[in-house]
Amino acid sequence: ELGDDHAKASCEAALAEVARKQGRFDEAVMRLDRAAQEFATVGEESGVARVFHLAGTIAAQRGDYSKAVENYEASLAIRERMGDKASIASLLSNLGIVAEYRGEYDHSRGFHERALALRTEIGDRRGIANSVNNLGMIAFLQKRYPEAGEWFAKSLLLYREVGDAWHVALCFENLGNAT
C-alpha cells in the first residue's frame, strides 16, 4: 500500500528464507525471483547479493551444486565490491560446504581457511567458531582424527563463549565421532 519497493523486496527475501527453512523450495525460489526484481528496480546491490546468497543455499539443499556455486559466486562478487567482509566470509564458508559435499576436501579447506581469516580479522566470534568447526569436519572426513578433535575442541570453547548451546552439543557429538 505504501509503495515502498525496498521494504517489499526485503519482505519477499525474508519470507523466502522462512519457506526455505520449511522445505518449501519452489515457493522460496518464486519469492526470491520477485525480491530480485524489486531490488534491481530500486538499485539495491546488497539486496541482490542477499537473493543470490539465498538462492545458492536453496540450490545446495536441492543437490544442484553447480547452481549453488554460480549463485554464491555472483553474491560474492557484489559483496567484494562492497567490502562486506562478514558476508564474504559467510559465502566462502558456503562455498567450502559445497566443495565438501562434492568430496573436494582440500578445496573446501581452502575456503574455510579464508573464511576463518576474515572472521578473525573482523572479530566475529560466532563465525570463527563456525569456521573452526568446518575445518574440523574436513579433517574428520580426511580421517585425520586427532586434528579433527583439536578443531572441534577449539570450536566447543568458542561456542561456549558466545552462549550457543545447540552448537556446543554439536561439538560434543563431533568430538565423540573424532575420538
Side-chain angles (χ1 to χ4, degrees):
E1 286 179 18
L2 298 175
D4 186 343
D5 291 337
H6 182 270
K8 185 174 153 187
S10 294
C11 289
E12 285 288 0
L15 290 168
E17 179 66 355
V18 171
R20 179 196 69 80
K21 288 180 177 179
Q22 294 177 338
R24 298 188 334 261
F25 299 127
D26 291 338
E27 177 188 340
V29 168
M30 179 184 67
R31 288 186 176 282
L32 286 179
D33 288 343
R34 288 196 299 251
Q37 291 171 359
E38 294 291 337
F39 281 130
T41 298
V42 298
E44 178 61 43
E45 244 191 340
S46 179
V48 172
R50 180 176 175 206
V51 168
F52 278 128
H53 194 153
L54 292 173
T57 300
I58 292 168
Q61 287 182 298
R62 286 181 151 177
D64 188 347
Y65 303 136
S66 295
K67 186 71 171 171
V69 168
E70 178 184 320
N71 280 294
Y72 287 148
E73 288 179 345
S75 182
L76 184 60
I78 295 169
R79 297 299 189 181
E80 286 175 334
R81 273 197 311 274
M82 297 174 68
D84 182 351
K85 291 180 181 181
S87 294
I88 293 168
S90 180
L91 286 156
L92 291 171
S93 182
N94 288 131
L95 286 164
I97 290 167
V98 170
E100 173 191 327
Y101 291 166
R102 288 177 160 173
E104 302 167 354
Y105 300 138
D106 289 334
H107 195 57
S108 177
R109 175 185 296 278
F111 282 121
H112 292 309
E113 287 171 344
R114 289 172 55 201
L116 177 58
L118 275 174
R119 288 169 164 167
T120 299
E121 180 183 331
I122 63 175
D124 176 4
R125 302 295 286 168
R126 183 179 304 275
I128 292 167
N130 178 267
S131 290
V132 167
N133 191 67
N134 288 340
L135 286 163
M137 186 53 63
I138 296 306
F140 177 81
L141 291 169
Q142 292 182 315
K143 300 182 182 191
R144 297 192 323 266
Y145 303 120
E147 178 189 340
E150 290 174 17
W151 285 115
F152 293 144
K154 184 175 181 181
S155 182
L156 172 67
L157 294 174
L158 290 165
Y159 276 126
R160 278 186 171 158
E161 283 180 20
V162 299
D164 188 330
W166 187 88
H167 276 103
V168 166
L170 177 66
C171 288
F172 276 120
E173 179 183 359
N174 289 343
L175 271 169
N177 289 336
T179 301

